[in-house]
Amino acid sequence: MEVPMKLSMPLVYAGNPRETADQVAGLEKAGLDLIWVAEPYGFDAPTLMGYLAAKTETVQIGAGILNVYSRTPGALLQTAAGLDNVSGGRAVIGLGASGPQVIEGFHGMPYDRPLTRTREVIDVLRMGLRHEKLDYQGRTFSVPLPEGQGLGLGKPLKLLNRPERPQVPLWVAALGDKNVAMTAEVADGWLPFLYYPEKAQQVWGEPLARGAAKRSADLAPLEICAGGMVAIGEGPETKALLDFMRPMYALYVGGMGARDKNFYNQLACEYGFEKEAKEIQDLYLSGKKKEAEALVPLEWLEAGNLVGPESYVKERIAAFRESGVTNLSVTPASDDPAGTIAAIKEWVS
């Protein structure tokens, strides 16, 4: 018997997140299990997550993602515990290193030791959620400050409030081998991006296995959340909706990061799209965004999204499940998002 997949979606908004958030209650009734709230360099995620907690009753509310640089581990602990309290134990905390453009450009923090920092943040969060005093000496930070730094008055403290739960799910957004292995070792869940189910094993199979071999028996099996746009319908007009995804793929493969440091361009190469990856990047960085978008492989768009007749969408769900995905993330492209969620919920159950 197949284990039911959970169903999640990213909160997508243009301008005013409050208006979009007010629609989540309807999606919750349709069967949505988890809503992800992003935080690149727009509004902060926790404020909106707290608003969602008050507007909903059962849906899990996930940060997708909070970077591990702009908040101290103590501040991240306060956020995780606070969100879990106001949501009645429905918080999910997605963590990640983001990228140097955002961390150094928007937050003014040096982008150093991203893997070590992520691992150590997870250590401190788990310590604090168990309501233990924060007493941690790591490679990227020490809590309290060690002797000889600051005024020397720091002492280990624990949260004033007792956390709602002693464990809040901690997910990590990761693409590179070492980061994925670390995620498989210590995190509760993994958030890959621009996911191609049939090629996931060849790209990430080895690091996932390497991390799983070191995974503590105290942790449940790693959850994996991936998916894409959903549009159910016959005919070429439905397939044409895939073109709406081209700008995002081109942005990440072509323009996210420097020419020699773009995680998403490297991912495209690992999927076997080396030629297209180079051409997309060359065009995008020279300002020819439309030409770059046109070169995004249709094969990748079709595999990474769920767009077509009902039978085809069910095939894509099966492919995501077969690749190890436990939580299908969908973005409905329809006039009735709740109806789309209800249909997909039935198919993944």
Side-chain angles (χ1 to χ4, degrees):
M1 181 177 172
E2 286 187 332
V3 177
M5 296 170 83
K6 289 186 177 179
L7 193 60
S8 66
M9 68 172 281
L11 187 71
V12 180
Y13 62 86
N16 191 340
R18 191 173 62 247
E19 294 174 357
T20 306
D22 288 342
Q23 300 167 14
V24 174
L27 299 173
E28 176 183 65
K29 289 184 176 67
L32 190 68
D33 295 300
L34 193 160
I35 185 84
W36 292 107
V37 181
E39 185 188 83
Y41 47 98
F43 295 150
D44 74 302
T47 299
L48 188 52
M49 291 171 71
Y51 182 82
L52 283 166
K55 291 281 184 177
T56 57
E57 297 176 0
T58 60
V59 70
Q60 288 184 291
I61 301 166
I65 60 167
L66 303 179
N67 77 72
V68 294
Y69 289 95
S70 60
R71 296 175 179 87
T72 65
L76 283 167
L77 169 62
Q78 291 175 300
T79 296
L83 286 169
D84 207 42
N85 175 263
V86 297
S87 65
R90 293 185 282 136
V92 175
I93 303 299
L95 301 166
S98 185
Q101 287 71 30
V102 172
I103 300 307
E104 296 186 354
F106 189 76
H107 294 292
M109 300 286 290
Y111 191 79
D112 56 4
R113 293 182 171 175
L115 272 68
T116 303
R117 192 176 185 93
T118 304
R119 181 189 285 268
E120 293 184 355
V121 163
I122 289 172
D123 287 343
V124 174
L125 282 174
R126 290 206 170 117
M127 180 185 293
L129 289 166
R130 292 192 299 266
H131 212 216
E132 298 172 5
K133 289 182 179 180
L134 300 189
D135 192 353
Y136 187 89
Q137 283 70 50
R139 292 173 60 199
T140 58
F141 54 80
S142 294
V143 183
L145 273 179
E147 193 174 335
Q149 293 187 30
L151 298 177
L153 300 176
K155 62 179 181 179
L157 299 171
K158 64 180 177 181
L159 274 175
L160 282 172
N161 318 87
R162 181 166 291 279
E164 188 81 9
R165 294 180 291 175
Q167 294 101 18
V168 173
L170 303 178
W171 291 57
V172 174
L175 289 180
D177 278 14
K178 291 181 180 178
N179 204 357
V180 170
M182 183 271 294
T183 300
E185 180 186 348
V186 303
D188 296 299
W190 173 40
L191 292 160
F193 190 54
L194 302 180
Y195 191 80
Y196 190 138
E198 286 85 353
K199 296 190 177 184
Q201 180 63 29
Q202 77 179 45
V203 175
W204 292 301
E206 192 278 328
L208 284 171
R210 192 167 75 244
K214 299 179 183 178
R215 191 174 180 84
S216 167
D218 295 334
L219 293 174
L222 183 74
E223 291 196 56
I224 301 174
C225 179
M229 183 172 74
V230 175
I232 308 161
E234 307 284 342
E237 64 279 3
T238 299
K239 279 291 184 187
L241 294 173
L242 284 170
D243 288 338
F244 287 112
M245 299 301 290
R246 289 184 178 277
M248 184 186 75
Y249 279 64
L251 165 64
Y252 280 89
V253 173
M256 195 63 74
R259 184 179 292 276
D260 59 346
K261 195 172 183 63
N262 180 326
F263 312 127
Y264 311 99
N265 191 279
Q266 180 60 37
L267 177 61
C269 292
E270 290 175 359
Y271 281 156
F273 302 126
E274 296 95 337
K275 179 175 179 291
E276 294 91 338
K278 183 181 186 308
E279 292 175 348
I280 289 169
Q281 188 176 59
D282 288 343
L283 288 166
Y284 206 94
L285 293 179
S286 64
K288 298 176 180 176
K289 295 181 181 179
K290 286 295 179 187
E291 291 92 331
E293 292 167 13
L295 291 182
V296 175
L298 181 60
E299 174 195 335
W300 191 4
L301 292 169
E302 288 189 325
N305 296 282
L306 304 94
V307 175
E310 177 180 323
S311 59
Y312 179 77
V313 172
K314 288 179 176 177
E315 286 176 14
R316 296 317 305 148
I317 292 172
F320 278 94
R321 188 197 301 274
E322 182 69 24
S323 75
V325 170
T326 60
N327 187 312
L328 186 68
S329 178
V330 297
T331 303
S334 70
D335 296 330
D336 180 18
T340 301
I341 291 292
I344 298 294
K345 179 67 174 181
E346 184 178 336
W347 301 341
V348 300
S349 298

